[in-house]
Structures are given as C-alpha cells and as structure tokens.
Amino acid sequence: MTELRKITPEEIAAAVSEMNRELKAVGAGTIERIDCSPENIEQGLARLVLSLVELLRRLLERQAVRRMEGGSLSDEQVEAMGQALMKLEQKVQELAAQFGLKPEDLNLDLGPVGNLLE
C-alpha cells in the first residue's frame, strides 16, 4: 500500500496561484473571442470568414501539390490550379485590407496541428 504524501501550505498556495493564472488566461481568451459590439461585428465577421477561406485555400494548395507530385495532373491543370490559388490569395488579402485586417489577424489556432499562419 502506498503512503500518502503530506502537502505543505506553500504547495497548496502555489497550486491555487497557478490555477488562478490559468483561469484568468482562459477567461481573457473567451472575452476576446466573444466581444461583438455593433461597431466591430462587421470586422469580426469578415475576420472569421476570411480566416476560414484562407484555411481552405491552404488545404487546396497542399492537395494540389500532392496531386502534382503524384503525377495525376497535366501541365495545363497545374497551371490553372496555380493561377486560381494565387487569385484567391490575392482576393483574400484585398478583402482583409478593406476591413482593416492584417494578415496575422487571419491566423487560427488549429489545436494540436498548430497555427494556420505558421
């Protein structure tokens, strides 16, 4: 049978302090994500939509590279797909600028995969 270790008051205070820090960080992140006032709702919606479009564009780009490396695309298809992806990237940047968004504003935290713009 294992013996229970006694926990010191300092260890308890450190654990409580760490938990408070984590809760504040989570709370701050939640407030930032939910902050949708009438003044910034349009920009927030544009940020969300453009972030999702950028995610899809990057996924399509990766798929195109895999297909190209696999030899399943003709030269014409590779050229057409490259042109389409470049136009989409340019359009996303133009729309982001119209809403006062910088490229880093479109970054998404994809959990264990990492951030979209890394």
Side-chain angles (χ1 to χ4, degrees):
M1 195 167 192
T2 60
E3 254 183 73
L4 294 178
R5 181 177 76 81
K6 290 187 179 184
I7 299 173
T8 67
E10 292 81 19
E11 290 173 314
I12 293 171
V16 167
S17 177
E18 176 65 17
M19 186 177 292
N20 275 334
R21 187 190 63 74
E22 289 177 11
L23 286 172
K24 284 179 184 176
V26 168
T30 303
I31 290 170
E32 180 182 349
R33 283 184 254 142
I34 297 175
D35 184 23
C36 289
S37 64
E39 296 81 33
N40 70 5
I41 191 78
E42 194 172 89
Q43 186 180 31
L45 183 59
R47 180 180 177 191
L48 173 64
V49 170
L50 292 173
S51 294
L52 292 173
V53 170
E54 180 62 15
L55 172 64
L56 292 173
R57 187 195 66 77
R58 287 177 180 240
L59 290 172
L60 287 170
E61 190 174 83
R62 288 184 181 152
Q63 180 65 27
V65 168
R66 278 194 289 271
R67 289 182 64 195
M68 184 180 67
E69 289 173 348
S72 66
L73 293 175
S74 69
D75 290 342
E76 295 82 23
Q77 288 173 317
V78 169
E79 182 66 27
M81 194 169 296
Q83 290 292 323
L85 290 171
M86 286 192 310
K87 285 180 184 177
L88 181 58
E89 181 179 19
Q90 182 180 8
K91 194 53 144 175
V92 167
Q93 291 172 356
E94 286 173 19
L95 289 169
Q98 285 180 354
F99 286 97
L101 298 169
K102 300 179 294 271
E104 57 268 15
D105 292 333
L106 304 182
N107 201 6
L108 292 174
D109 180 5
L110 301 174
V113 177
N115 289 331
L116 174 62
L117 300 179
E118 286 183 354

